[in-house]
């Protein structure tokens, strides 16, 4: 396999790496010689992902945590720091979820928002000191979704008013994308932060989500791409190839950069999201 953007001892963390896009990203990075921390919620699934890779130039190491709670995010951050004491070059925030009913986490946030945004932000902030990079700036990749277009901003992250599965998923991706842009500005010159939209992908995500997303997955399966193509796009964004500067929105299969929704690109909305995120995480205002 072609060695993509490899530096000596390059280390990546890939969340949600036991299936679909995350699994493909982890395998491709290890095939390119990277050490990859493979995250999943269940130890047996992480182990199966590592074993299924076979012999590769790089290494695959397990990290296990449930990202539905901030306590789980803290556990994962601790495992990453222990497994990669010399630092991390790339963090791929791929883990995501959708649910078929409304429920709050122990942290008082609707579950979709908790996994798709608050856990992403919490892990990214927690690992900031470990993002060191080798030969270039470290990179954080946020896996987003075109479904953020048309989402409505949430007054409260409980999403208790008029909850629907699709509405919660769209809103969570909109909020996380606005956060991505805000963080890219805040960390400019220290850490590159990019968003990758994989497009419509054929994975088990829709089936596991249930509800309307399961039906969409079944009906749309013949028209969806496999996870390998968006995984290659994530690799290109993660390994600092030209054309993907910090703050980019990169679309798989669309010739590179594109545009997200106008609301996600609104600086005032981005600042609101960043401030609300810090509040939920118990961090001081930036």
């Amino acid at each position: 396999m072609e060695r993509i953007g490899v530096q000596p001892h390059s280390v990546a963390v890939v969340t949600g790496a036991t299936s679909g896009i995350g699994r493909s990203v982890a395998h491709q990075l290890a095939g390119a010689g990277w050490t990859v921390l493979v995250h999943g919620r269940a130890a047996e699934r992480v182990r199966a992902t590592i074993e299924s890779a076979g012999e590769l130039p790089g290494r695959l190491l397990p990290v296990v945590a449930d990202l539905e709670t901030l306590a789980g995010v803290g556990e994962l951050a601790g495992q990453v720091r222990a497994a990669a004491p010399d630092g991390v070059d790339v963090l791929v925030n791929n883990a995501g979820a959708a649910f078929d009913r409304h429920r709050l986490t122990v942290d008082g946030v609707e579950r979709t928002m908790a996994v798709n945004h608050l856990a992403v932000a919490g892990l990214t902030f927690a690992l900031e000191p470990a993002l060191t990079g080798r030969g270039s700036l470290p990179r954080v990749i946020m896996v987003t979704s075109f479904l953020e277009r048309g989402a409505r901003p949430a007054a409260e992250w409980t999403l208790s008013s008029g909850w629907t599965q699709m509405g919660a998923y769209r809103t969570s991706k909109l909020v996380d994308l606005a956060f991505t842009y805000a963080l890219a500005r805040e960390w400019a010159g220290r850490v590159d932060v990019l968003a990758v939209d994989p497009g419509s992908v054929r994975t088990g995500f829709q089936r596991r989500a249930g509800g309307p997303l399961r039906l969409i997955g079944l009906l749309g399966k013949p028209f969806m791409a496999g996870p390998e193509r968006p995984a290659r796009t994530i690799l290109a964004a993660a390994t600092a190839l030209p054309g993907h500067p910090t703050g980019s929105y990169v679309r798989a299969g669309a010739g590179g950069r594109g545009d997200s929704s106008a609301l996600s690109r609104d600086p005032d909305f981005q600042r609101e999201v960043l401030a609300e995120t810090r509040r939920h995480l118990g961090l001081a205002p930036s």
Side-chain angles (χ1 to χ4, degrees):
M1 179 180 292
E2 180 186 359
R3 295 175 69 80
I4 305 173
V6 128
Q7 299 288 338
H9 313 298
S10 295
V11 177
V13 179
V14 183
T15 66
T18 59
S19 63
I21 296 171
R23 182 186 181 116
S24 187
V25 169
H27 284 180
Q28 289 186 37
L29 279 168
W34 288 58
T35 294
V36 184
L37 277 60
V38 177
H39 161 260
R41 287 184 301 168
E44 61 272 16
R45 293 191 65 189
V46 173
R47 185 167 54 251
T49 297
I50 292 173
E51 291 173 352
S52 70
E55 295 294 326
L56 294 172
R59 293 189 303 159
L60 295 163
L61 304 176
V63 286
V64 180
D66 185 347
L67 298 184
E68 194 170 310
T69 69
L70 292 179
V73 172
E75 290 175 12
L76 178 56
Q79 291 177 50
V80 169
R81 288 191 291 265
D86 294 328
V88 172
D89 300 273
V90 169
L91 168 61
V92 180
N93 283 309
N94 169 74
F99 302 94
D100 61 0
R101 64 192 66 184
H102 181 271
R103 199 174 78 196
L104 302 184
T105 70
V106 295
D107 302 303
V109 176
E110 191 272 338
R111 287 186 295 170
T112 320
M113 287 289 291
V115 176
N116 293 351
H117 173 58
L118 201 58
V120 171
L123 182 63
T124 303
F125 280 130
L127 291 182
E128 181 187 4
L131 295 170
T132 55
R134 292 160 178 81
S136 61
L137 291 181
R139 288 205 154 193
V140 175
I141 306 300
M142 310 291 201
V143 178
T144 186
S145 171
F146 63 91
L147 291 174
E148 63 87 17
R149 298 181 181 90
R152 293 181 298 176
E156 299 290 340
W157 289 2
T158 58
L159 305 187
S160 54
S161 177
W163 184 93
T164 65
Q165 182 189 62
M166 288 299 295
Y169 185 76
R170 287 175 183 270
T171 297
S172 69
K173 288 298 186 178
L174 167 66
V175 167
D176 197 59
L177 189 52
F179 169 79
T180 298
Y181 293 141
L183 194 65
R185 277 197 310 274
E186 185 172 287
W187 286 5
R190 295 186 289 125
V191 179
D192 287 344
V193 184
L194 302 88
V196 176
D197 172 11
S200 298
V201 184
R202 187 173 59 251
T203 69
F205 175 81
Q206 296 94 346
R207 174 179 51 79
R208 291 190 299 271
L213 274 173
R214 182 177 184 275
L215 181 59
I216 291 171
L218 288 172
L219 296 177
K221 187 175 181 179
F223 310 101
M224 295 178 177
E228 295 77 18
R229 185 188 72 183
R232 288 193 295 270
T233 302
I234 291 171
L235 255 67
T239 50
L241 294 182
H244 299 317
T246 190
S248 291
Y249 176 86
V250 185
R251 298 196 306 172
R257 280 178 286 175
D259 286 331
S260 59
S261 67
L263 183 56
S264 73
R265 292 181 281 114
D266 182 280
D268 290 335
F269 180 62
Q270 293 167 10
R271 283 189 287 270
E272 290 172 9
V273 165
L274 182 58
E276 186 70 359
T277 300
R278 287 184 174 277
R279 187 182 72 79
H280 277 280
L281 294 173
L283 300 176
S286 56

